[in-house]
Amino acid sequence: MELRYLSNKELSVALEALVKHERATSVQVLEHLVEVERRELFLQDGYGSLFSYCRKKLLYSEPAANRRICSARALAKFPELRCLLIEGELSLTTLSLVSRQLNDENKDQILASIRGKSRSEVEEILAETRPQTKTVERVRQVVVAQVTSAAPTAVLRAAKIPAQTLSLFSALQPSPENVSGALMVEQAPPPAPQKRYALSFSVDEKTFAELEEVRALLSSSLPKGVSLEEALKVLLGQYLAQHSPARRQARRLKVADKRSSSIGEPSPKANPAMGEEKKIIPTSRHIPAKIRDEVFCRDRGSCSFVGPDGVRCGSRHNLQLDHIVPFAVGGAHDAENLHVTCSRHNRHLAKLYFGEEHMQKFLHG
Ligand SMILES: [Zn+2]
């Protein structure tokens, strides 16, 4: 029946039933998430975490994924939450706010204080019981249009334009009359907006003092003033120069290029096979830095695990080098036998190779 023909009473009753059904379905979603996490199902599908699975496969927004994951983990620990969620005494939002604090000792007290409360009421309760000493880290993208003082430039779009036409063109003002035949005059597109990010976080006293010291040291080379952004750029540049596999690799290639040009040999870039080295027979677990960097660059500094549907994990956290033929059975430390994986996919691949039982023995001694 069409909704507009329902009486007010019928409409209200139907809606209440639907909302109850919605809450029950939400709880079922949480229970399914608990089971997906227990089986680590997301790993075999190519996702590095339950969060990534919720975002990319289930298409939840970041806050929605967070709320569900926090609530699912709380529900796994405390099954009595199920009734409170179904009855609407707790919402995913309020449960997720307190989920990390809940333990066997305090759960009755915390749940009694937040039952039936709204998000802002729960936040107030939390602020009273747990004064915040740290600002929540936030990264917000802000788009800033590029500012340019130059007049709009005209560009020529013609295959072959004689020199005199070009000199003539420079005297012309772009106007519809000037546009004819092969000579097209068009306004250059406005510069693309430049992405910028607003960061906010708090630091402790020592870190702040060190930051001020860095800014003071930089002030002699940056007399116009050292903004936090300038200081951060210098610090990041120095860290990456030392630790970025791509930059180390580029330096190696430059040195090899210089060396080969000084002795008149072809550059290793021109003949990649020249850079190849003999297979390294592993005698220890140590993988030479050159090989590590080569593999990190090839795998774009992210987990290269690909699920059966072609989903590439791509996580950039807790990355490790994984031997395709494991080191334990004589796998070599060469680039063909190595790939970058996140720690979870590394463990997942080891389980697939050695079996769950062997890995449990390995993990628990
Ligand atoms: Zn991964």
Side-chain angles (χ1 to χ4, degrees):
M1 185 190 279
E2 277 197 46
L3 295 185
R4 59 183 162 160
Y5 298 120
L6 294 181
S7 69
N8 289 348
K9 174 85 180 157
E10 284 168 335
L11 184 65
S12 172
V13 168
L15 181 57
E16 275 179 47
L18 281 171
V19 171
K20 201 164 182 180
H21 179 71
E22 185 184 29
R23 286 199 293 262
T25 307
S26 290
V27 171
Q28 284 180 333
V29 168
L30 300 185
E31 288 165 344
H32 279 68
L33 286 178
V34 170
E35 188 57 17
V36 165
E37 185 161 50
R38 193 189 68 76
R39 296 185 197 186
E40 294 192 325
L41 198 60
F42 52 88
L43 287 179
Q44 69 184 51
D45 284 352
Y47 302 95
S49 64
L50 185 61
F51 179 74
S52 173
Y53 178 86
C54 285
R55 284 280 296 113
K56 295 175 186 166
K57 187 167 175 109
L58 305 180
L59 304 178
Y60 283 123
S61 67
E62 284 186 20
N66 262 328
R67 280 195 296 274
R68 278 157 185 80
I69 292 170
C70 290
S71 300
R73 287 174 182 163
L75 183 63
K77 267 198 205 158
F78 307 110
E80 61 268 38
L81 294 172
R82 190 175 196 282
C83 287
L84 296 174
L85 286 164
I86 288 180
E87 293 305 320
E89 295 279 345
L90 284 182
S91 67
L92 296 186
T93 304
T94 53
L95 176 56
S96 61
L97 283 172
V98 300
S99 60
R100 286 203 178 90
Q101 282 178 275
L102 286 180
N103 59 40
D104 284 320
E105 284 76 51
N106 66 16
K107 72 169 190 312
D108 292 333
Q109 189 201 342
I110 289 182
L111 293 177
S113 68
I114 67 163
R115 276 173 83 151
K117 297 275 195 314
S118 67
R119 179 200 176 113
S120 55
E121 287 169 329
V122 172
E123 280 175 337
E124 259 175 48
I125 294 168
L126 287 176
E128 281 166 19
T129 56
R130 188 189 53 168
Q132 207 151 359
T133 52
K134 281 169 99 180
T135 310
V136 178
E137 285 179 21
R138 284 185 209 282
V139 179
R140 190 165 55 85
Q141 187 181 314
V142 286
V143 178
V144 179
Q146 219 164 26
V147 181
T148 170
S149 55
T153 42
V155 291
L156 290 177
R157 214 175 57 189
K160 284 179 188 168
I161 302 162
Q164 64 270 32
T165 314
L166 279 174
S167 61
L168 174 70
F169 173 77
S170 63
L172 297 174
Q173 291 301 310
S175 70
E177 301 86 70
N178 297 335
V179 182
S180 65
L183 185 62
M184 299 283 290
V185 181
E186 64 180 30
Q187 290 298 110
Q194 207 178 40
K195 278 184 194 166
R196 291 185 61 80
Y197 297 85
L199 312 179
S200 100
F201 55 95
S202 64
V203 293
D204 60 29
E205 225 178 321
K206 181 170 175 278
T207 308
F208 185 70
E210 285 174 353
L211 183 60
E212 287 303 283
E213 193 178 346
V214 169
R215 289 174 77 181
L217 290 169
L218 283 171
S219 60
S220 53
S221 50
L222 295 166
K224 281 187 180 169
V226 186
S227 63
L228 283 175
E229 183 180 358
E230 292 293 348
L232 190 61
K233 273 185 194 167
V234 172
L235 294 171
L236 292 176
Q238 286 182 357
Y239 182 86
L240 289 173
Q242 207 179 340
H243 298 284
S244 155
R247 294 186 196 198
R248 282 197 302 247
Q249 189 77 337
R251 274 202 300 273
R252 274 191 208 102
L253 277 175
K254 213 170 161 186
V255 170
D257 250 1
K258 236 183 191 170
R259 198 180 301 149
S260 44
S261 61
S262 68
I263 56 172
E265 278 182 6
S267 141
K269 267 192 229 163
N271 182 6
M274 282 186 62
E276 283 177 18
E277 293 188 355
K278 282 183 247 163
K279 287 203 176 204
I280 295 161
I281 308 297
T283 50
S284 80
R285 283 197 168 269
H286 175 73
I287 301 168
K290 184 175 177 293
I291 306 276
R292 294 182 73 85
D293 291 348
E294 185 186 337
V295 177
F296 264 85
C297 291
R298 185 199 64 204
D299 290 348
R300 310 196 297 274
S302 59
C303 176
S304 60
F305 182 91
V306 178
D309 296 336
V311 175
R312 185 181 190 273
C313 171
S315 170
R316 290 161 71 94
H317 295 283
N318 294 327
L319 295 179
Q320 301 175 350
L321 282 188
D322 179 59
H323 288 79
I324 295 165
V325 175
F327 172 77
V329 295
H333 288 338
D334 56 61
E336 295 79 45
N337 190 43
L338 290 163
H339 58 171
V340 176
T341 59
C342 62
S343 59
R344 284 178 139 170
H345 275 124
N346 192 314
R347 212 178 57 238
H348 176 67
L349 288 166
K351 268 188 201 171
L352 289 181
Y353 195 95
F354 293 109
E356 176 88 31
E357 206 179 315
H358 177 91
M359 287 308 292
Q360 285 304 326
K361 268 192 226 159
F362 175 74
L363 290 171
H364 303 296

